[in-house]
Amino acid sequence: MVNHPDENMTDELKELWLHCFPLDTDYCGMFFEEYYSAEKCFIIKGSSGLESAAYIFDAKINADNEHLNAVYMYAISTYEQFRGKGNAAALIEAVKEYCIY
């Protein structure tokens, strides 16, 4: 089940990020200080803890000279032991639902 993280989950999210993107240490710190917000983060947490996460940014696109609201999905990450179980697909579906409402 996809949810938003609790406010006290930042360290767990950073750990997952660095597990999946190990060369991003400096960027990870900056991302969580400057851009992270719990309501723009979607997670899957199982009985053993955090499994997957994805982040979104609000965006604008120009299509046929019309400015449209959009959402940019960013940094989908899943621990290896949970890959291939549909977590990324569930995160994408949750973001699609978020965009509809």
Side-chain angles (χ1 to χ4, degrees):
M1 179 176 187
V2 177
N3 292 301
H4 295 285
D6 298 331
E7 291 296 329
N8 60 352
M9 287 187 65
T10 306
D11 288 341
E12 290 175 78
L13 291 164
K14 287 180 182 178
E15 186 177 314
L16 173 59
W17 182 299
L18 292 173
H19 180 82
C20 294
F21 311 108
L23 302 178
D24 271 357
T25 304
D26 291 339
Y27 181 80
C28 177
M30 185 274 302
F31 174 82
F32 281 94
E33 286 178 28
E34 301 288 329
Y35 299 107
Y36 170 76
S37 70
E39 61 269 358
K40 300 289 182 166
C41 177
F42 297 80
I43 64 164
I44 295 177
K45 193 172 182 178
S47 59
S48 60
L50 183 63
E51 297 179 8
S52 302
Y55 307 86
I56 61 170
F57 291 108
D58 293 326
K60 297 260 187 211
I61 59 172
N62 187 350
D64 296 327
N65 292 323
E66 184 178 352
H67 296 289
L68 304 171
N69 293 325
V71 171
Y72 178 79
M73 193 170 197
Y74 186 69
I76 299 174
S77 48
T78 300
Y79 284 114
E80 286 94 350
Q81 66 266 36
F82 303 110
R83 292 181 186 165
K85 299 180 187 293
N87 283 12
L91 290 168
I92 292 166
E93 285 301 314
V95 170
K96 284 170 49 179
E97 288 294 315
Y98 170 87
C99 291
I100 292 170
Y101 299 104

